[in-house]
Each structure stands twice: as structure tokens, then as C-alpha cells.
Amino acid sequence: MDAQVSLINEDIVLESMEEQPEVQEAPKSKKKKADLTLEDLPGVGAAIAEKLRGCGFDNPISIAVATPGELVNASGISEVVARKMINSARDMLEMGFESGNDVLKRREKVIKIPTGSKAFDAMMIGGFETGAITECFGEFGSGKTQLGHILAVNTIKTYPKSTVVYVDTENTFRPERIVQLAEGVGLDPVKVLKQIRVAKAYNSDHQMLLVEKIPELVKTDGLDIKLVVIDSLTAHFRAEFIGRGTLADRQQKLNKHMHALSKLADMNNVCVYVTNQVMAKPDQFFGDPTVSIGGHIVGHASTFRIYLRKGKKGTRVAKLIDAPNIADSECAFAVEQGGLKDVKTEK
Ligand code: GTP
Ligand code: MG
């Protein structure tokens, strides 16, 4: 990436847009929004377009939702020019305010991935949503990884042509478990495994890079990705940034990662499922003495937050603690060989 950036810097002058006042002008293109290309953006010539494409910015939408810093890194243009470019793309795509009806229309594209437990699905009003990030946090063995495997299989059960991307940071993805679960819902395990793309992330940078690569799978390979699992979201960040002094750096990086995930969910109508650990909070005297890693950064970027804990007799309890249109509630279920099952007794 560094080599690419320095190469890029050498010929920025070729297309320096700062001297071109027309960047601010309204676009002249009469094309349909879907047909617009990078070159339709005022001031973007072939050379800059090529550099942007090389870094994954291959249409005006990707420019419109980028941050100036990302474009500066990608194409070597100045921040001022990057801002103008972003604004032009937003104008061109009419990305200002929209009516509530338009939002409702977009929401119609949202699909739900069922968990297999009636109580859990009822709590989530049908299942885990696409276009959103759902975070599950809880202590070890609370079922976060199991839920990732179950959602992967259920996605393929519900949307037979879809693909699941599984970013495994703790080496806990188990194809054997997928086989069991696929058989549990009557699917051919070989086919299911083919439809799951697994990548092991070796550190937080690698994890972030893998997430950046996911849109390429959609564009280049034409995959219909409906679910992206990041298990665990925070383990690498937690291990690499130790001590209070590094907390701000960690949070900044985590924030960038969450931003990328939420863009991925939104732009590709993908369900992003992330798992998160908890740590003991020694100064908590009342209530639950645990707190999730990543704090507000992860919490605020997640659309839905679920707290998983172990219940009585091997059951699990999921508590929805933050959702935009669903009241906080709780449900109990059991992890069984064939998938999630409802249990009679709560808690
Ligand atoms: P950490 O990653 O350690 O934080 O935990 P986690 O929340 O990811 O826990 P995980 O999803 O790995 O849950 C482990 C629990 O799920 C086990 O204690 C079992 O109760 C259950 N489990 C795991 N594998 C199976 C399985 O193959 N069959 C059944 N029935 N239960 C399983
Ligand atoms: Mg796990």
C-alpha cells in the first residue's frame, strides 16, 4: 500500500485539480445515476480515476461515502480537492435529505436471517438484519461463536444462492460444526461449505484489510454476500494495545474498522455479525460486573447489541440491549447439535 501511495504521489501534478475551479460546479452529466462513472465527476481524469480504482474506489457512490483522508491516501490529491470530489459525488447522486417514504422503500430491501430459535427470532422481529451491524458480547463459552456458525448455515438455508464471509481471528471456525448444522437443517454440507468463504486474520491490520477486500468479492466474483461474520471483532485489538497509554490509539483504529464495517453493511445490504468479549469491571458493585471491550466505539457503531450469558441447565440467555426499533427484551435458548432450539424455562 505504501509503495502504491508513493508511486501515486509522483504524478499528482499531472492532474492537480486545485487549479480547476470547475470542480465545484454542478455536474453536467445527464446519465442515469447507475451509469455514472468516476470520470463523470468534475476534475477527475483518467489518471486520478485509475489510482482511485486501484484502491477500490470504483464508482461515484464509493467516493460519496469516503472520508477525505481515504481519498488523499488513495490518489495523492490534497484534502481540499478530496472534499470537493466527495461533495460533487454526493450532489451528483442527490445524496442529501430524502423523504421518509424513500427510507421506507430502502428498508424493504432489508432481509432477516433466522437463528432457528423461535424465541430469539421473535426478539429480533424475524432475525438478524441486513444493512446493519449486530454485536454479540458475552463471557467465554456464552455461545457467540456458535451463533456465528448457526447464522452462516441459516443464511444459506434461507437464501440458497448467497455467500457467507467468515473472518476468523481466534482460529475457532470449525467446518465440522458447519457440517453438523447443515445436516440439522437438511442441507448438503459440501454445498454449504462451498458457499462459506473463510479468512483467518492474523492481527488487527490484517483483519481490517480483509474487511476492505470484501466488496471486491461482490464486484469481481459477483458473489451475493448476505452475511459477514467477524469472530472476534476485538480480540486482536485487545491483545495488541496493552495498557492505558495505548487506549486512545486502539479506539481510533477500532473506530475506523467499525466505520468500514458499517459502510460494508449499508452499501451491500449485508448482515454484519461481530462478536465481542467482556472484561471484569472491578469498580462495579451493583448489577452485572462485566463490560464489553471497545466500549462506546463498538457500542455506538453497532445497530443491534445483544448480551449473551449462560443460563440454567446449559441454556443460554440473549438480551437485546440496544436496537433502533425494538424494545429491550430477553429470550432463552439452547445450543444443540442441529442448531439453536427453544427452551421452556426462561433464565
Ligand atoms: P469465547 O470465544 O471463548 O469467548 O466463547 P464463545 O462465546 O464464542 O462460546 P462458543 O460459541 O464457542 O460456545 C461454546 C459452547 O457452545 C460450549 O460450551 C457448548 O455448550 C456449546 N457448543 C459448542 N459446540 C457445540 C456442539 O458441537 N454441539 C453442541 N450441542 N453444543 C456446542
Ligand atoms: Mg468464540
Side-chain angles (χ1 to χ4, degrees):
M1 188 65 119
D2 278 344
Q4 208 171 358
V5 171
S6 62
L7 264 179
I8 284 162
N9 280 331
E10 286 169 22
D11 53 341
I12 308 163
V13 239
L14 279 179
E15 274 194 287
S16 171
M17 300 201 306
E18 263 155 336
E19 295 98 50
Q20 297 177 21
E22 64 267 30
V23 168
Q24 274 176 311
E25 280 177 12
K28 296 164 198 84
S29 180
K30 290 269 183 290
K31 286 186 193 172
K32 274 193 208 159
K33 276 188 217 171
D35 298 333
L36 292 169
T37 64
L38 288 183
E39 285 83 351
D40 291 316
L41 287 167
V44 177
I48 287 188
E50 200 187 324
K51 288 169 198 162
L52 289 168
R53 283 198 182 98
C55 292
F57 296 98
D58 54 3
N59 56 41
I61 300 174
S62 62
I63 302 290
V65 298
T67 62
E70 284 170 342
L71 298 188
V72 169
N73 284 339
S75 64
I77 54 174
S78 74
E79 200 183 315
V80 176
V81 174
R83 277 186 200 285
K84 285 178 188 167
M85 200 190 277
I86 292 168
N87 287 338
S88 300
R90 286 179 184 167
D91 284 350
M92 208 182 227
L93 298 164
E94 292 161 2
M95 284 173 76
F97 291 97
E98 54 184 349
S99 74
N101 282 331
D102 291 336
V103 179
L104 188 63
K105 227 180 208 172
R106 255 192 309 117
R107 291 272 309 154
E108 281 165 10
K109 285 193 193 148
V110 169
I111 56 168
K112 313 250 182 161
I113 299 163
T115 62
S117 145
K118 283 195 186 85
F120 206 152
D121 290 346
M123 184 176 84
M124 302 298 289
I125 319 205
F128 283 42
E129 274 193 25
T130 56
I133 301 177
T134 300
E135 172 203 357
C136 264
F137 65 96
E139 62 167 328
F140 68 93
S142 55
K144 305 179 292 291
T145 299
Q146 287 301 309
L147 194 52
H149 284 62
I150 287 163
L151 288 172
V153 172
N154 286 355
T155 300
I156 295 163
K157 165 91 180 162
T158 321
Y159 307 97
K161 293 209 167 108
S162 64
T163 299
V164 170
V165 172
Y166 205 109
V167 178
D168 181 12
T169 76
E170 298 188 299
N171 199 14
T172 49
F173 175 79
R174 290 289 175 274
E176 307 88 292
R177 185 67 182 124
I178 295 289
V179 170
Q180 272 184 348
L181 293 165
E183 284 168 351
V185 292
L187 293 180
D188 174 1
V190 180
K191 270 193 185 159
V192 172
L193 284 170
K194 253 189 211 158
Q195 283 169 257
I196 304 177
R197 301 277 175 112
V198 188
K200 220 181 252 183
Y202 291 97
N203 55 47
S204 64
D205 283 310
H206 189 209
Q207 184 178 327
M208 289 167 82
L209 187 76
L210 287 170
V211 167
E212 281 171 33
K213 296 262 176 231
I214 295 173
E216 280 175 31
L217 293 176
V218 178
K219 280 173 211 147
T220 324
D221 301 1
L223 298 180
D224 179 18
I225 299 175
K226 292 269 187 280
L227 172 72
V228 171
V229 176
I230 316 283
D231 184 26
S232 135
L233 173 77
T234 46
H236 283 315
F237 289 88
R238 193 182 184 186
E240 289 164 29
F241 295 87
I242 301 159
R244 284 206 165 264
T246 62
L247 197 63
D249 291 341
R250 184 189 83 180
Q251 290 303 85
Q252 201 178 10
K253 210 167 162 191
L254 204 45
N255 193 21
K256 195 174 165 208
H257 191 41
M258 293 310 289
H259 182 78
L261 287 170
S262 106
K263 204 158 107 177
L264 175 76
D266 196 38
M267 287 183 66
N268 301 282
N269 196 26
V270 160
C271 168
V272 175
Y273 169 68
V274 301
T275 69
N276 194 0
Q277 275 95 349
V278 288
M279 59 182 179
K281 204 174 165 203
D283 55 352
Q284 176 100 19
F285 296 109
F286 302 102
D288 198 325
T290 53
V291 62
S292 65
I293 311 291
H296 298 306
I297 297 274
V298 176
H300 285 156
S302 305
T303 322
F304 299 91
R305 303 192 77 200
I306 296 166
Y307 176 38
L308 279 185
R309 65 172 200 274
K310 293 175 190 167
K312 283 180 189 160
K313 294 182 191 157
T315 61
R316 298 288 183 272
V317 179
K319 184 175 187 181
L320 185 64
I321 55 161
D322 196 1
N325 55 340
I326 312 174
D328 291 1
S329 50
E330 234 179 51
C331 69
F333 57 88
V335 180
E336 289 182 2
Q337 182 162 330
L340 288 195
K341 293 287 170 294
D342 285 305
V343 290
K344 283 195 185 88
T345 45
E346 294 249 323
K347 285 171 215 172

